[in-house]
Amino acid sequence: MKEIVGVVIEKIDNSSGIILGPDQKEYFFSSLDILDDTKIEVGTKVVFKEECYATNKENIYRAILISKYEEEPI
């Protein structure tokens, strides 16, 4: 599983939200999947791995193993 960089675009409640990935897919997440002390705040850049669940109607994408994205110094 490759790591994906995305940004929190929606806070559903205090323990879940939506991350927008670079592919413009929306990934649901739960605070149980956050590995560090990253706060659930709109605009926070994160790195994560994805899971995909197929239903009869659509694919549902979920972000797991989430941590705050730290840009590497130049």
Side-chain angles (χ1 to χ4, degrees):
M1 251 189 277
K2 68 177 182 169
E3 289 188 330
I4 300 171
V5 175
V7 64
V8 176
I9 60 166
E10 184 178 340
K11 184 176 174 180
I12 296 171
D13 56 28
N14 287 332
S15 63
S16 62
I18 305 290
I19 295 170
L20 183 65
D23 51 9
Q24 300 305 302
K25 290 181 190 167
E26 292 183 354
Y27 296 85
F28 172 80
F29 74 92
S30 166
S31 62
L32 298 175
D33 292 306
I34 297 174
L35 300 177
D36 55 14
D37 62 352
T38 300
K39 304 272 190 236
I40 301 172
E41 294 180 14
V42 173
T44 302
K45 241 179 166 176
V46 294
V47 62
F48 64 95
K49 296 189 186 256
E50 80 171 336
E51 285 187 339
C52 179
Y53 299 95
T55 67
N56 290 337
K57 296 181 182 179
E58 64 183 331
N59 290 334
I60 298 171
Y61 299 95
R62 184 166 170 248
I64 60 170
L65 304 174
I66 305 162
S67 59
K68 188 168 185 175
Y69 178 71
E70 300 291 339
E71 295 185 49
E72 294 186 27
I74 297 174

